[in-house]
Amino acid sequence: MKRVFSGVKPTGHLTLGNYLGAMRRWADVDQHQADALFCVVDLHALTVEHDPGRVRRLSRQGATLLLASGLDPRLCTLFVQSHVDEHARLSYLLECVATDGEMRRMIQYKEKAVRERERGGSVRLSLLTYPVLMAADILAYGTDEVPVGDDQTQHVELARDLAVRFNQRYGPAFVVPRATRPGVGARVMNLQEPTSKMGKSDDVGPGIVYLLDEPDVVRKKVMRAVTDSGRDVVYDREGRPGVANLLEVLAACTGGNPEELSGVYESYGALKKDTAEAVVEVLRPVQERHRELCADPGYVEGVLRDGAERARAMARPRVDAAYRAIGLLPGGGTRGAGDDRDSRAARDTRGVGVVNPAR
């Protein structure tokens, strides 16, 4: 089976955009058709000013919502990034392969660095180098496919470049991954700014529907969504972005087609009402399951513990092989005393010794 890796960053509460654009597909498709790993990438949340307690709360909430959205630990591997040391171990090796120029060309670095300076803050070195950590997240597992939106494609391209460069310089160690793009509903826009993505890092604003919003809050946000001049309900992403966003959300929630749905409605009010109810119904089972999981925190902790064990068993042989290939002595204390995990789990050498730059 192909291997798929995806992650969520605990920098804000998960949104309707996260669910319709990624999480639902992970549960409905990816975990059934691939050897899938899903990760709460908490180390990435440390690249900007943050509250430690909030990062911990959002990490737990993110993992719980992933389970509530339908991820099944019997079918996939769910874990927290910082629980698997191989991510940080491999990240340093890849920093020794990446270049300063590559890092400074990253679009997200440029944008986030500007925002940090505008707020009067200092830009952390980790903000510059975190795309390398993202590459390590992907390459450690012999990942074949990384489902991403347009804003993350550049990072997957970097992972490909680093894998090929490492393989050519030091010998075959990594599978070369490819980016894949989800289908309909992959890009839910802000209800108040329909030309901007509905992002979870913005924790305020009526344009963002969060997965744990109460039904009345959801209805209020959708009914107040920005539309466009004119009265006709027309699907036109460029000319009528507000209406197009509502139609796409409705289509993603109901399994319809935005263009066909545009012919059903004669007014914006009717479209908003149906969209609001469709969103409430899509979120209802997720919220119910989330409440059940919160009542049993031991279960979530056990899933994350077991997931980290499985992820570690997959990543460690590949990362150890990369350490040897780049010139480091074997052993070196990478395992603690009495750590017999490798003897208890099948060593995953998938992709080790295989170069596939054509992928």
Side-chain angles (χ1 to χ4, degrees):
M1 296 178 71
K2 65 184 179 184
R3 181 164 290 169
V4 172
F5 179 94
S6 294
V8 295
K9 184 165 59 174
T11 52
H13 298 287
L14 293 171
T15 71
L16 178 67
N18 297 126
Y19 180 69
L20 294 180
M23 294 164 62
R24 186 170 64 173
R25 177 180 173 83
W26 297 348
D28 293 347
V29 179
D30 290 338
Q31 68 174 345
H32 299 282
Q33 297 183 358
D35 183 7
L37 297 100
F38 302 105
C39 181
V40 178
V41 287
D42 54 344
L43 295 176
H44 291 295
L46 311 185
T47 60
V48 295
E49 189 66 30
H50 63 277
D51 173 63
R54 186 170 186 269
V55 171
R56 284 191 289 270
R57 289 192 298 274
L58 288 175
S59 296
R60 176 179 291 277
Q61 183 186 89
T64 305
L65 280 170
L66 287 172
L67 289 170
S69 70
L71 291 188
D72 186 340
R74 295 170 299 182
L75 301 175
C76 66
T77 301
L78 174 63
F79 65 105
V80 175
Q81 179 189 31
S82 63
H83 294 177
V84 181
D85 293 344
E86 278 61 35
H87 291 255
R89 290 180 60 211
L90 180 56
S91 181
Y92 180 74
L93 289 198
L94 296 179
E95 284 186 14
C96 297
V97 177
T99 67
D100 176 76
E102 285 176 315
M103 297 299 97
R104 296 188 186 280
R105 286 194 296 271
M106 288 287 161
I107 295 172
Q108 288 207 14
Y109 167 71
K110 294 179 181 179
E111 294 175 347
K112 291 181 179 180
V114 168
R115 288 199 294 269
E116 282 296 304
R117 294 189 182 101
E118 288 176 346
R119 287 198 290 260
S122 57
V123 179
R124 301 185 181 195
L125 178 62
S126 56
L127 185 61
L128 177 66
T129 60
Y130 92 91
V132 177
L133 176 58
M134 187 178 295
D137 298 338
I138 297 167
L139 298 181
Y141 297 101
T143 302
D144 296 299
E145 295 183 1
V146 188
V148 292
D150 293 339
D151 57 337
Q152 294 292 333
T153 301
Q154 189 183 34
H155 291 140
V156 181
E157 289 302 315
L158 175 68
R160 289 175 57 85
D161 292 342
L162 295 180
V164 170
R165 192 177 305 157
F166 191 102
N167 290 344
Q168 291 175 343
R169 288 182 182 178
Y170 305 113
F174 301 116
V175 171
V176 181
R178 59 183 177 273
T180 58
R181 289 169 178 76
V184 176
R187 194 170 178 82
V188 178
M189 312 306 281
N190 189 298
L191 296 177
Q192 292 297 315
E193 300 176 24
T195 58
S196 301
K197 186 178 178 181
M198 186 183 286
K200 68 178 183 302
S201 295
D202 181 5
D203 271 342
V204 295
I208 303 173
V209 176
Y210 297 103
L211 296 187
L212 297 180
D213 277 346
E214 293 291 334
D216 286 345
V217 173
V218 173
R219 294 185 182 99
K220 184 180 295 185
K221 288 180 177 180
V222 175
M223 293 303 294
R224 292 180 177 177
V226 168
T227 50
D228 311 288
S229 59
R231 296 182 178 180
D232 296 337
V233 178
V234 178
Y235 181 68
D236 180 356
R237 168 49 69 187
E238 298 299 324
R240 301 275 190 90
V243 174
N245 188 38
L246 289 170
L247 288 167
E248 289 181 353
V249 170
L250 179 59
C253 290
T254 61
N257 178 283
E259 293 185 5
E260 293 177 0
L261 287 170
S262 67
V264 174
Y265 295 95
E266 297 181 355
S267 70
Y268 292 162
L271 171 61
K272 288 182 176 181
K273 183 178 179 181
D274 282 2
T275 302
E277 292 306 318
V279 172
V280 168
E281 289 307 310
V282 160
L283 296 184
R284 190 185 306 280
V286 177
Q287 294 177 353
E288 290 176 354
R289 179 59 177 153
H290 179 265
R291 286 192 289 270
E292 293 173 359
L293 292 167
C294 286
D296 187 8
Y299 172 76
V300 178
E301 292 174 2
V303 168
L304 296 178
R305 183 173 57 250
D306 293 344
E309 286 286 333
R310 290 200 300 271
R312 192 178 298 113
M314 293 181 200
R316 179 166 289 169
R318 182 169 293 99
V319 175
D320 284 350
Y323 265 59
R324 292 191 297 271
I326 205 169
L328 301 178
L329 290 173
T334 59
R335 297 174 180 80
D339 187 349
D340 63 347
R341 278 184 285 259
D342 285 339
S343 66
R344 289 187 284 110
R347 291 171 59 85
D348 178 9
T349 56
R350 186 174 181 277
V352 177
V354 177
V355 182
N356 188 4
R359 285 190 173 182

